Amino acid sequence: ETGVTQTPRHLVMGMTNKKSLKCEQHLGHNAMYWYKQSAKKPLELMFVYNFKEQTENNSVPSRFSPECPNSSHLFLHLHTLQPEDSALYLCASSPRDRGQTEAFFGQGTRLTVV
Amino acid sequence: SQQGEEDPQALSIQEGENATMNCSYKTSINNLQWYRQNSGRGLVHLILIRSNEREKHSGRLRVTLDTSKKSSSLLITASRAADTASYFCATDANDYKLSFGAGTTVTVRA
């Protein structure tokens, strides 16, 4: 248990659906991240937030829309996804403001787009 | 963008043997980290080595870093079945981003 909780753990959605992934941490970390992990590929950094301000959007398609209402919660809103978006979506946090760079990951959401 | 690249992609060893995997990267780093991932789950931080360090130990883990070659290695000694997992290196360039490779899948046979 890393202290980072992601829900749901599994999600199946159609290409016309709208769904949201949720990430929560009460570790007091200032930085939060969304990563996409596809089979046999490196983890792809999608978004970075620092104290709820977005600092990085790694050329992610607009069908992925992040939201960070406070420094403990991070959402990833999904709409009109494609089958190739099926992957494991990982949320992470780190206490960068304390000079520590280690990332604490959630268990991930396994997304299947049908 | 991908920074670390692990080698080999997959490794199968007998319980009790040592497992060694390597990571190469391309640009200057602040530190390099190794993570473990059990099947379909989140990554767990194992060990961090700073750019001014050459070697670090943590239990059965030994990490080396050669900044002149832009490479690192992770050695797991006396492997156990529970070490079966994927191992990832991640580089930090002090820019609020960790860049990961595709990982090495380690299978420890009983």
Side-chain angles (χ1 to χ4, degrees), chain B residues 6-104:
Chain B
E6 293 90 346
D7 171 63
Q9 289 189 341
L11 184 59
S12 180
I13 55 173
Q14 201 73 30
E15 204 165 22
E17 292 180 341
N18 295 343
T20 300
M21 59 210 86
N22 304 295
C23 170
S24 59
Y25 57 93
K26 296 175 183 154
T27 61
S28 296
I29 61 171
N30 182 45
N31 65 63
L32 186 143
Q33 304 174 31
W34 286 91
Y35 289 78
R36 184 187 74 228
Q37 183 181 36
N38 291 93
S39 182
R41 301 175 79 83
L43 281 71
V44 175
H45 181 263
L46 294 175
I47 193 166
L48 178 153
I49 186 165
R50 302 188 192 287
S51 59
N52 61 353
E53 297 175 311
R54 292 296 166 260
E55 188 171 313
K56 202 159 182 182
H57 296 254
S58 176
R60 293 184 296 112
L61 305 179
R62 174 180 167 250
V63 169
T64 63
L65 179 65
D66 186 335
T67 52
S68 66
K69 294 182 180 176
K70 290 187 168 58
S71 69
S72 173
S73 68
L74 172 67
L75 167 69
I76 306 173
T77 60
S79 62
R80 305 167 182 169
D83 295 327
T84 294
S86 292
Y87 292 82
F88 296 83
C89 69
T91 54
D92 175 73
N94 207 26
D95 56 357
Y96 269 71
K97 290 183 280 189
L98 275 179
S99 297
F100 288 82
T104 293

Side-chain angles (χ1 to χ4, degrees), chain A residues 30-31 33 35 37 40-43 45 48 50 56 58 88 90 96-97 101-103 105-107 110, chain B residues 1-2 30-31 33 35 37 40-45 48 88 92 94-102 105:
Chain A
N30 67 299
Y33 309 83
Y35 283 90
Q37 185 179 30
K40 306 298 182 189
K41 287 185 176 181
L43 269 73
L45 178 63
V48 181
N50 175 19
E56 182 84 14
N58 209 21
L88 182 67
L90 293 162
R96 290 268 178 173
D97 58 334
T101 62
E102 299 92 312
F105 281 83
Q107 298 283 38
R110 173 67 63 187
Chain B
S1 62
Q2 179 189 354
N30 182 45
N31 65 63
Q33 304 174 31
Y35 289 78
Q37 183 181 36
R41 301 175 79 83
L43 281 71
V44 175
H45 181 263
L48 178 153
F88 296 83
D92 175 73
N94 207 26
D95 56 357
Y96 269 71
K97 290 183 280 189
L98 275 179
S99 297
F100 288 82
T105 300

